[in-house]
Amino acid sequence: MNHRLTFFCHSILLKPTNPRTNGFTLFKAFMFTSSQYNNNNYRRFNPNPNPNYNYNHNRTHNPDPNDPSTLLKEDGVSVCSELWIESFRNPNQTVTNLTNYLRRFELWVLAYQKVCADELGAYMPKSSVQRSALEDLLALRNAVLDNRFRWGARLEFFIKSPKDKTEYESLSKRKIRAILTTTQPSPFQDRIVQEVLFMILEPVFEARFSEKSYVFRPGRTAHTALRVVRRSFAGYLWYIKGDLSTALDGMKVGLVISALMRDVRDKMVIDLVKSALTTPVITSPPVEKKRIQRKYQKKRVLAEDEPKPDPYWLESFFGFAPEEAEKVPTWGHCGILSPLLANICLDELDRWMEGKIKEFYRPSKSDVIWNSLEGEVDQGNTSWPEFVPTSGPDKTRKIDYIRFGGHFLIGVRGPRADAAILRKQLIEFCDEKYMLKLDNESLPIEHITKGIMFLDHVLCRRVVYPTLRYTATGGKIISEKGVGTLLSVTASLKQCINQFRKLGFLKGDRDPDPQPCFRMFHATQAHTNAQMNKLLTTMVEWYRFADNRKKVVNFCSYIIRGSLAKLYAAKYKLRSRAKVYKIGDRTLRRPLKEKKGQSPEYNNLLRMGLAESIEGLQYTRMSIEGTITRGWRPDHEKALLEYIRLDDPKTFEENRTALIKEGLISPQDYVSMLVWNYKRSAALNVVNNEEGKMLLGSGGEKDKLSIEDEEEREERLRATNV
């Protein structure tokens, strides 16, 4: 056994293998070692060994050729990672081989796991997927590849949801007619195909999308858009707000397919997307149900495999969604592909606006910032980008642009005439490209002094007189008074009041009055306080980049605390909020219901674990984060680009040259190291070839190997390394 381990360590740990084939080398050496060890043990302990006997013959069996799990050669995540890396390595290359990824069974299993997680509310590991489900999944994949798959099937399925126990063969005609003519949720198999297409198309277009779009993309949220506005829109006087959300309701199939074929030329993928867009969706008009008054309402018990509904605090926070994030596109049978297809279509607008940014850039040498020919280079005070010093009358003309879904914002630095010219060109482009009829009223030009509303935040300008300190020649620190404008991003208190009013937390405009949230009437005090604390924490997180975040958070805390106080006053019959605050404290952390003389004190019950701990209403004061840098990228894109850079041979050569220049490695040592590595790899290749010949031979030839031959090979390897 020691000889086997020695040979295994030498052949694996000392051999400079290729990382892509290292797994196969490990498997080959391990199989050789274990098989020889088992055969040698058989010869040692059997007094009459059979020379043609193979010990592993009784322990191993041939895999079932009909088992779909034999098609799983790699992990699905590694296949996706490979596609992401290739897409970011060649972002400008037209993709033509996506059908090869569509054939990969690993992606279909990964899509099945993701859809099951959405369907069942729990993650299903690969080991828990049954063989029958794999067989049905393989049939679905073959149907897609053979062009036998049809979107929106109601009765004939290749695979069904694990919780769908309906036997469609035994249904009555009335139920079948209802299934075929009424609105039904998207079939389980459709969502699997959508997920596979999404995993294939997303990395291809994420490497090509403009950096000016910040929605329906990984790592680019509303917070990212606000940070970019704070960083890049300082110094602009005129703003153009546009609403193209009608394009999210649906576009012509020809426009979507032409935008898709700009970078993807795979016929099978294009046909799948086209059929998903053109296949009609069966819908029925909504039927108004009469409200029946009931004396009481029974608690609904969830099934074992039914996912839990969203908690009350999360459902309430969804009501605070800004106008720009309310609409999510849903096109035909595309499902989760719809936002990606919308971004693919609107990416042409992003590219057109990037060209206009370069066209409208006219630098002025008398301006304090943006006075060079390269407008995208960081200029001015990079640690305080919101501040723009006051300059002379001749200013640099510049524009910037950002898009969030179907809404976009354009900032113009210069005369209003530049904004009017750009608006006219934008109307013509949208009419020609997207067939959208826009006018001057739908694209208003507003001055920064009026306040620009974007993502429920107001952009405004303030004149400030800061004390500027800088180091002059000779190391002398000079302080002088400066004057300039500061871009302020504040949360809209009016919009916050409107959102609370929609949710029923208050009434009134000038003097908002909190209203009790009777949805939590039957919950305990500990559970209600915990729910409201989560809502407050989430709202604090949403307003974290606002300059007036302290004021807004205090207002939200006042409304929620007053709403809970009125709820507890009605529930425990305390008549007023003042009495609730007197008993339960201003944070409502003390128990409001305690029967004296019939049970121990609350502290004793809490110590014995017989009562729930009540947490008071709190909120976290969060300081604003650092400013975002120009050319910002999400973390996953940074990791991909860094991996591609390190994988490039030019990077290795640059690092080697830098080490030699710094004197860390001399040229002679480097040449001798290369020669030594070459000799060692050549010797190891000879030994590896001998192993391959023995592994490829018949079973009888393997049995003829002796321990002495293996020891000779190990001695030769050890001598070569020395």
Side-chain angles (χ1 to χ4, degrees):
M1 181 64 180
N2 295 333
H3 292 296
R4 305 285 73 72
L5 291 176
T6 305
F7 174 72
F8 176 77
C9 295
H10 276 287
S11 60
I12 297 302
L13 301 180
L14 298 180
K15 181 176 179 180
T17 57
N18 188 355
R20 297 182 179 179
T21 60
N22 195 21
F24 176 73
T25 306
L26 178 65
F27 173 76
K28 182 175 63 175
F30 180 77
M31 289 299 295
F32 170 75
T33 306
S34 60
S35 62
Q36 293 303 312
Y37 173 69
N38 292 331
N39 287 329
N40 292 333
N41 276 346
Y42 172 77
R43 283 193 291 268
R44 285 179 183 177
F45 298 106
N46 195 347
N48 299 315
N50 185 0
N52 297 324
Y53 176 77
N54 187 4
Y55 178 80
N56 293 321
H57 178 73
N58 293 335
R59 298 187 60 183
T60 61
H61 60 276
N62 295 328
D64 186 2
N66 298 324
D67 189 2
S69 60
T70 57
L71 299 175
L72 301 175
K73 307 298 182 182
E74 297 182 50
D75 186 56
V77 177
S78 63
V79 177
C80 289
S81 303
E82 178 184 349
L83 182 56
W84 277 89
I85 292 171
E86 291 299 326
S87 300
F88 274 82
R89 180 178 283 124
N90 303 311
N92 299 322
Q93 184 179 356
T94 304
V95 182
T96 59
N97 61 342
L98 290 182
T99 305
N100 295 334
Y101 287 96
L102 199 62
R103 291 193 179 97
R104 300 296 296 268
F105 193 57
E106 298 90 344
L107 294 182
W108 291 85
V109 175
L110 183 60
Y112 177 80
Q113 292 176 272
K114 295 176 70 174
V115 176
C116 282
D118 296 336
E119 187 84 1
L120 305 177
Y123 174 73
M124 177 182 291
K126 190 188 301 183
S127 58
S128 300
V129 182
Q130 299 180 359
R131 177 170 176 174
S132 59
L134 291 177
E135 292 174 351
D136 295 341
L137 196 61
L138 183 60
L140 176 62
R141 188 206 69 167
N142 295 337
V144 171
L145 296 176
D146 298 340
N147 200 18
R148 292 183 289 108
F149 173 75
R150 295 294 178 266
W151 295 96
R154 298 294 182 92
L155 298 176
E156 298 179 358
F157 303 109
F158 294 97
I159 186 172
K160 295 195 302 182
S161 172
K163 71 174 186 179
D164 186 6
K165 309 298 182 183
T166 307
E167 296 181 1
Y168 292 90
E169 295 83 2
S170 60
L171 291 179
S172 63
K173 292 183 179 180
R174 183 179 60 84
K175 291 185 178 180
I176 292 176
R177 189 183 304 110
I179 291 175
L180 295 177
T181 57
T182 58
T183 303
Q184 299 289 334
S186 180
F188 184 77
Q189 63 180 12
D190 286 18
R191 282 181 281 166
I192 293 177
V193 179
Q194 293 164 5
E195 194 71 47
V196 173
L197 289 174
F198 182 78
M199 288 190 292
I200 292 175
L201 291 176
E202 185 188 27
V204 173
F205 286 97
E206 276 295 325
R208 293 163 172 78
F209 279 154
S210 170
E211 296 182 359
K212 304 293 184 181
S213 61
Y214 290 89
V215 72
F216 306 138
R217 299 181 59 186
R220 297 177 182 270
T221 60
H223 277 168
T224 310
L226 289 173
R227 295 178 67 189
V228 169
V229 167
R230 182 187 291 275
R231 169 65 181 83
S232 303
F233 279 72
Y236 294 100
L237 299 178
W238 303 98
Y239 286 84
I240 304 175
K241 279 187 64 179
D243 183 5
L244 302 179
S245 56
T246 54
L248 301 182
D249 296 333
M251 287 188 181
K252 289 191 174 182
V253 179
L255 293 176
V256 180
I257 296 301
S258 61
L260 188 63
M261 292 185 65
R262 186 184 58 205
D263 298 308
V264 174
R265 297 297 178 85
D266 192 291
K267 186 178 183 303
M268 182 169 292
V269 174
I270 296 295
D271 290 344
L272 268 175
V273 176
K274 186 175 181 180
S275 62
L277 291 170
T278 55
T279 303
V281 180
I282 301 174
T283 57
S284 57
V287 180
E288 295 184 0
K289 296 183 179 180
K290 295 182 180 180
R291 305 184 75 179
I292 303 174
Q293 294 183 357
R294 297 180 179 177
K295 294 183 180 180
Y296 63 95
Q297 186 177 1
K298 292 184 179 180
K299 286 187 176 181
R300 181 171 171 269
V301 181
L302 299 176
E304 294 182 357
D305 55 353
E306 184 178 1
K308 294 182 179 180
D310 293 332
Y312 176 66
W313 70 268
L314 186 59
E315 184 181 344
S316 301
F317 179 71
F318 285 159
F320 279 83
E323 179 188 0
E324 292 84 356
E326 285 182 351
K327 186 174 289 187
V328 178
T330 304
W331 296 352
H333 293 278
C334 292
I336 60 172
L337 275 177
S338 302
L340 178 62
L341 295 177
N343 266 338
I344 292 172
C345 296
L346 294 176
D347 185 64
E348 299 185 8
L349 173 63
D350 303 339
R351 298 298 180 185
W352 183 80
M353 281 301 306
E354 287 180 352
K356 291 299 175 182
I357 290 174
K358 296 179 181 179
E359 179 184 337
F360 275 76
Y361 180 66
R362 299 170 190 173
S364 174
K365 293 184 179 179
S366 61
D367 202 345
V368 180
I369 58 176
W370 299 316
N371 50 17
S372 66
L373 296 177
E374 299 178 358
E376 294 297 325
V377 179
D378 282 335
Q379 301 182 42
N381 191 349
T382 56
S383 61
W384 195 15
E386 302 95 336
F387 175 73
V388 179
T390 302
S391 57
D394 188 13
K395 298 180 180 179
T396 296
R397 297 187 179 185
K398 191 176 184 296
I399 67 173
D400 209 338
Y401 161 85
I402 188 173
R403 180 177 64 83
F404 192 87
H407 298 256
F408 61 85
L409 182 67
I410 302 174
V412 180
R413 178 182 170 89
R416 189 181 187 279
D418 288 353
I421 294 173
L422 180 61
R423 179 174 64 178
K424 182 179 178 181
Q425 296 177 359
L426 183 60
I427 291 174
E428 295 175 355
F429 175 81
C430 292
D431 187 12
E432 177 185 355
K433 197 69 182 177
Y434 303 117
M435 299 180 184
L436 295 177
K437 302 297 181 181
L438 303 178
D439 52 10
N440 294 342
E441 294 183 359
S442 59
L443 296 175
I445 300 176
E446 299 178 352
H447 198 266
I448 184 63
T449 54
K450 293 185 178 180
I452 312 299
M453 179 74 72
F454 187 69
L455 291 173
D456 286 354
H457 288 67
V458 181
L459 312 181
C460 54
R461 184 182 65 171
R462 291 184 295 162
V463 180
V464 294
Y465 302 90
T467 301
L468 304 178
R469 294 181 177 87
Y470 58 92
T471 304
T473 55
K476 185 178 180 181
I477 299 177
I478 299 178
S479 300
E480 60 180 15
K481 278 285 185 179
V483 59
T485 58
L486 183 69
L487 179 66
S488 178
V489 182
T490 59
S492 174
L493 192 60
K494 181 180 179 181
Q495 195 69 13
C496 182
I497 293 175
N498 292 336
Q499 302 289 10
F500 269 123
R501 189 185 297 109
K502 285 182 184 178
L503 297 173
F505 276 92
L506 58 81
K507 66 178 182 179
D509 290 332
R510 296 184 179 179
D511 190 12
D513 184 26
Q515 297 297 305
C517 51
F518 285 111
R519 286 272 309 266
M520 305 294 294
F521 188 83
H522 296 287
T524 62
Q525 184 181 354
H527 180 69
T528 304
N529 285 11
Q531 291 283 305
M532 292 300 113
N533 270 333
K534 291 180 181 178
L535 176 60
L536 270 174
T537 305
T538 313
M539 294 183 66
V540 170
E541 180 72 16
W542 165 238
Y543 290 118
R544 66 185 301 181
F545 294 106
D547 293 338
N548 61 339
R549 57 193 175 278
K550 182 178 179 180
K551 179 180 179 181
V552 174
V553 170
N554 282 335
F555 174 77
C556 295
S557 178
Y558 161 74
I559 294 296
I560 293 177
R561 187 174 65 247
S563 177
L564 284 186
K566 284 192 174 183
L567 171 67
Y568 293 149
K571 183 177 180 179
Y572 299 116
K573 299 179 181 181
L574 298 176
R575 295 184 181 181
S576 65
R577 284 186 289 174
K579 198 166 185 180
V580 172
Y581 291 143
K582 183 179 179 180
I583 300 175
D585 193 53
R586 298 292 294 183
T587 60
L588 304 176
R589 60 184 177 84
R590 296 176 183 169
L592 295 170
K593 188 176 182 181
E594 182 178 350
K595 296 181 181 180
K596 295 183 179 180
Q598 298 181 8
S599 61
E601 294 292 334
Y602 171 75
N603 292 332
N604 295 334
L605 292 175
L606 185 63
R607 191 180 303 111
M608 291 184 293
L610 300 177
E612 291 183 284
S613 175
I614 302 175
E615 55 178 339
L617 290 184
Q618 301 171 356
Y619 68 90
T620 306
R621 296 182 181 180
M622 306 186 69
S623 59
I624 192 169
E625 292 190 4
T627 56
I628 199 169
T629 59
R630 186 176 292 277
W632 174 89
R633 286 181 176 273
D635 293 337
H636 70 279
E637 292 187 12
K638 290 180 182 178
L640 285 170
L641 295 176
E642 183 68 14
Y643 177 85
I644 293 170
R645 189 183 70 84
L646 295 176
D647 195 39
D648 190 0
K650 294 182 181 179
T651 305
F652 172 75
E653 189 65 25
E654 292 174 359
N655 294 336
R656 182 189 65 84
T657 306
L659 291 175
I660 293 176
K661 285 183 179 180
E662 294 179 3
L664 299 177
I665 298 179
S666 63
Q668 295 80 8
D669 294 339
Y670 180 75
V671 172
S672 61
M673 182 177 64
L674 288 179
V675 172
W676 181 79
N677 284 336
Y678 175 76
K679 289 182 178 180
R680 188 184 66 172
S681 61
L684 290 173
N685 285 335
V686 172
V687 178
N688 192 36
N689 292 335
E690 293 181 0
E691 295 174 20
K693 292 178 182 178
M694 290 183 290
L695 285 173
L696 293 175
S698 61
E701 293 177 353
K702 289 185 202 175
D703 295 333
K704 294 178 183 178
L705 295 175
S706 60
I707 302 176
E708 291 77 6
D709 296 336
E710 297 166 11
E711 291 178 351
E712 280 185 10
R713 192 164 54 254
E714 292 170 7
E715 290 293 338
R716 192 193 322 166
L717 179 62
R718 191 179 301 108
T720 305
N721 290 331
V722 173

